[in-house]
Amino acid sequence: MVEKKTETQTESKPADSSTEKDKSEKKKDEKKKDEKEEKEPDLSEEDRQLIDELNMLVDRLTESDTKLYKPALESLRSQIRSSTSSMTSVPKPLKFLRPHYDTLKQVYEKIEDIETKRFCADIVSVLGMTMSDTRDCLRFRQLGSKEEVGSWGHEYVRHLSGEICQEWNDTMESDTTEREMLLRLVEQILPYDMDHNAETDACDLLMEIERLDLLEGCVDRSVFQRVCLYLTSCVAYVPEPEDSQLLKTALTIFRKFGRYPEALRCAIQLNDMRLVEESFKSCKDIVVQKQMAFILGRQQIFLELDEDMDEYDELVEIMSNAHLNNNFLALARELDIMEPKVPEDIYKSHLEPNRPSFGSSNVDSARQNLASSFVNGFVNAAFGQDKLLMDDGNKWLYKNKDHGMLSATASLGLILLWDVDGGLTQIDKYLYSAEDYIKSGALLACGIVNSGVRNECDPARALLSDYVLHNRSLCF
C-alpha cells in the first residue's frame, strides 16, 4: 500500500508542473496581447483600409518591377499631401508609414531612374520630419525633385527651417558650396512664410543664419509693419552687434515703404546722426517732417538744415523747442489745471491725525522745508507760478539753511521751466543777493530754465559765463 501511494504522488507531480507552465505561458500571452493592444489602439475601418493601402504601396516599391515605382510613389505623395496641408498632430499616413521608413530609404538607394529617385527622396524627406534626428529631412530635400517647398504644408517648412539653422551653424564659413545650397533653400522658404502669415518664422530663420539682408527683398506692403514690429521687439533680447543689425534692417524697410517717422526712431535708437539726417531729409511731406521735427526736439537733437528748405524757420523752431512752454501752458489751460498747488496737496497729512503737517506754521524744520521746496518745484514744474516763491520768495528762502537755500532758489528754475524769455527776468534779481547760496541757486535755476531749449542768443550762457569763469567759486 505504501509503495502504491508513493507511485501516485510521483505521477501527480509532473501533472502539476505542466499545469503551472500552462498558466505562466497563458499569462505571458495575455500580457503580450495587452501590450499589443496598448501599442495598437482600436482602429476604425477607414484607418485599417488606409494601412492596407500604404502597405501595398510600399510592397510594390520593394518588388523588382521598376515600372511600379513611380505610380506607387505618386499614390504615396497624394496620400501625404492630403493630410499635411494643415497639421495639428502627426497625420495618419505619416504615422502609419513610420515602420517603413528604413525600407523607403533602402528603396531610394536601389532606384536607378533619376527622376523616380528624386521623387522618392521627396517622400523620404517628408517622413524624416517625424522620424529622424539626423537631418534626413534636409538631406533628402536637397536630393529631391526641387518642387515647391510649400506643397508639403506649413509644418514641413517649419521643420526644414529648423534643420537649415542647425546645418548652417555646423557648416564652416569656408564651405561656400554647402552654404550656397542652404541659401537657395532659404530663398524658397521666405516667400512662402511671407504669404502664409509666418513672418516671424522668416525673421527667426534669417537671424539664425545672420542674413537679414535678404529680408528687404521679400517684404511687401501688406506685411512690412508686422515684420518691422517683430524686429524692433527682438532688439531688447539679443546681444550686440545683432541688436544694431535688427534696427538697421527695420530702418531700411521703413524707408523703403515711406514710413519716415518710424525710420527716424530706429536711427535715434542706433544713435547714428548720419542716418537721422538721411531719414529726416528723405521725407518730402512737410506735415510729416514737422512731426519728425517734434520727435527730434523731444530727444534734444538739432539738425543743421539748408535755409532753402520749405518751412525752414518753423522746422528749426520746432527742433529748438522754442514753442514748448507755450504749448505746455495751452494744454494746461485746456485741462483747467493752471491753479498753483502747494506741498500739502501732495502730502495730505490732514488725513493722518497723529502726524504733523509739513510746512505748517507751528513746525519750522529746515529738513521739512527743504522737502517742501523740492515738492513745490516738481508739482508746479513749467506752470510759471506757485504759492511759495513767486509771491514773496525771500520769506521762504530764509526759512532754509545753506544748501537748503540753494535748492529752494534752484526750484524756481523748475517752476519757470522752458520760459526762456520771461523766466530769466524773474530769476535775475536773486543773482545780486548777498547770500552766496541764494546766488548759486539762481545760477542753477538759469540753467534749468534753458534745459532742452535751443536759442540762438543762448542767454543762459551769457549770464553764467561770468560766474563760471570767475576765480572764486560761490559754494562748495
Side-chain angles (χ1 to χ4, degrees):
M1 291 292 292
V2 175
E3 290 177 0
K4 285 182 180 179
K5 189 176 181 180
T6 54
E7 284 177 6
T8 54
Q9 284 178 352
T10 53
E11 285 176 1
S12 63
K13 281 182 182 178
D16 292 342
S17 61
S18 63
T19 307
E20 288 175 0
K21 284 182 181 178
D22 292 341
K23 285 181 179 178
S24 63
E25 286 177 3
K26 191 176 180 181
K27 286 181 180 178
K28 287 180 181 177
D29 292 339
E30 288 177 357
K31 191 176 181 181
K32 287 180 181 177
K33 190 177 180 182
D34 291 340
E35 288 177 355
K36 191 173 182 182
E37 286 178 357
E38 286 178 4
K39 290 180 181 177
E40 296 181 9
D42 293 336
L43 298 173
S44 65
E45 187 64 33
E46 185 181 348
D47 289 346
R48 292 183 185 280
Q49 186 178 351
L50 178 61
I51 290 175
D52 293 339
E53 185 178 349
L54 293 173
N55 290 339
M56 179 194 68
L57 293 173
V58 174
D59 289 340
R60 284 184 184 177
L61 292 171
T62 56
E63 294 176 7
S64 57
D65 188 358
T66 57
K67 293 179 181 179
L68 298 174
Y69 291 172
K70 193 166 184 179
L73 290 170
E74 283 278 6
S75 299
L76 281 176
R77 180 171 71 170
S78 61
Q79 289 282 4
I80 294 171
R81 278 189 174 176
S82 64
S83 63
T84 55
S85 57
S86 59
M87 279 215 272
T88 55
S89 60
V90 179
K92 288 181 179 179
L94 294 182
K95 184 178 179 181
F96 298 149
L97 281 171
R98 278 178 174 177
H100 304 294
Y101 181 64
D102 292 329
T103 305
L104 288 171
K105 287 171 73 174
Q106 293 170 7
V107 168
Y108 169 79
E109 297 295 338
K110 77 173 186 178
I111 294 176
E112 295 180 357
D113 182 63
I114 296 175
E115 186 179 350
T116 309
K117 196 177 184 75
R118 287 178 176 173
F119 207 162
C120 185
D122 290 339
I123 304 295
V124 177
S125 175
V126 178
L127 279 176
M129 172 177 60
T130 59
M131 284 294 298
S132 175
D133 294 329
T134 56
R135 301 177 199 161
D136 280 351
C137 180
L138 174 61
R139 182 164 70 89
F140 282 96
R141 171 68 196 179
Q142 291 174 325
L143 297 170
S145 60
K146 306 294 188 296
E147 62 181 3
E148 187 180 350
V149 70
S151 61
W152 297 104
H154 180 65
E155 195 62 34
Y156 174 74
V157 176
R158 287 189 63 185
H159 187 85
L160 191 61
S161 299
E163 291 197 2
I164 288 172
C165 295
Q166 295 173 8
E167 188 68 23
W168 185 278
N169 292 328
D170 292 344
T171 305
M172 301 292 291
E173 290 186 14
S174 56
D175 191 355
T176 56
T177 305
E178 179 65 22
R179 289 206 163 185
E180 284 176 4
M181 290 176 65
L182 294 174
L183 277 178
R184 282 198 290 272
L185 268 178
V186 170
E187 289 169 356
Q188 295 175 38
I189 291 172
L190 291 179
Y192 176 85
D193 283 343
M194 293 299 172
D195 292 339
H196 292 80
N197 299 320
E199 303 88 2
T200 55
D201 292 343
C203 294
D204 288 338
L205 174 59
L206 293 178
M207 281 192 277
E208 283 292 329
I209 66 173
E210 298 179 353
R211 287 301 306 267
L212 281 168
D213 55 293
L214 299 174
L215 192 58
E216 183 185 355
C218 61
V219 174
D220 58 21
R221 189 168 291 278
S222 63
V223 299
F224 82 93
Q225 287 182 309
R226 293 196 296 273
V227 170
C228 291
L229 176 62
Y230 184 70
L231 291 177
T232 52
S233 300
C234 289
V235 170
Y237 304 102
V238 297
E240 296 180 352
E242 292 177 31
D243 55 348
S244 299
Q245 188 61 40
L246 291 176
L247 285 171
K248 286 178 181 176
T249 305
L251 184 149
T252 305
I253 295 172
F254 277 134
R255 287 181 62 179
K256 176 182 177 181
F257 293 99
R259 300 303 292 265
Y260 297 106
E262 290 88 342
L264 182 66
R265 289 193 186 96
C266 293
I268 292 171
Q269 200 169 346
L270 284 165
N271 197 26
D272 189 327
M273 290 302 110
R274 181 184 61 82
L275 289 175
V276 169
E277 189 170 354
E278 285 180 5
S279 300
F280 184 84
K281 291 183 177 179
S282 298
C283 181
K284 303 304 178 186
D285 187 338
I286 189 61
V287 177
V288 177
Q289 259 194 338
K290 287 179 181 178
Q291 181 61 45
M292 293 169 74
F294 277 112
I295 295 172
L296 291 174
R298 181 71 180 85
Q299 300 298 324
Q300 298 184 21
I301 297 173
F302 187 84
L303 300 179
E304 297 292 341
L305 304 178
D306 298 330
E307 293 187 8
D308 55 352
M309 281 185 68
D310 294 338
E311 305 281 354
Y312 167 78
D313 293 332
E314 190 169 354
L315 289 173
V316 169
E317 285 183 351
I318 293 171
M319 278 191 289
S320 302
N321 287 324
H323 300 305
L324 192 55
N325 180 250
N326 295 332
N327 293 338
F328 181 82
L329 292 176
L331 175 63
R333 291 189 195 97
E334 186 72 23
L335 298 174
D336 194 20
I337 54 173
M338 286 296 293
E339 181 67 25
K341 299 177 181 64
V342 295
E344 186 60 30
D345 295 335
I346 306 300
Y347 298 146
K348 299 189 186 301
S349 53
H350 63 278
L351 299 175
E352 299 182 34
N354 298 327
R355 184 176 174 184
S357 300
F358 281 95
S360 59
S361 57
N362 56 354
V363 177
D364 193 10
S365 166
R367 186 184 293 272
Q368 289 177 355
N369 290 344
L370 175 62
S372 295
S373 296
F374 278 105
V375 173
N376 182 67
F378 284 118
V379 79
N380 294 298
F383 283 94
Q385 52 186 339
D386 77 320
K387 292 183 178 180
L388 291 184
L389 290 167
M390 301 304 292
D391 296 334
D392 188 5
N394 286 325
K395 183 179 178 182
W396 177 256
L397 292 178
Y398 284 98
K399 285 186 177 183
N400 295 274
K401 294 180 180 179
D402 300 339
H403 290 91
M405 281 185 176
L406 188 152
S407 300
T409 313
S411 68
L412 270 171
L414 271 176
I415 296 166
L416 300 166
L417 188 64
W418 305 320
D419 185 8
V420 178
D421 298 328
L424 293 177
T425 306
Q426 298 184 57
I427 297 170
D428 184 63
K429 60 184 177 181
Y430 295 104
L431 291 173
Y432 305 103
S433 173
E435 190 69 51
D436 282 348
Y437 285 102
I438 294 178
K439 194 180 294 185
S440 299
L443 292 172
L444 182 55
C446 290
I448 294 173
V449 166
N450 284 266
S451 176
V453 179
R454 183 185 176 88
N455 194 302
E456 288 184 2
C457 301
D458 205 354
R461 182 175 182 179
L463 280 170
L464 296 175
S465 57
D466 292 340
Y467 296 94
V468 172
L469 300 174
H470 200 275
N471 293 329
R472 186 177 73 87
S473 59
L474 294 176
C475 294
F476 296 94

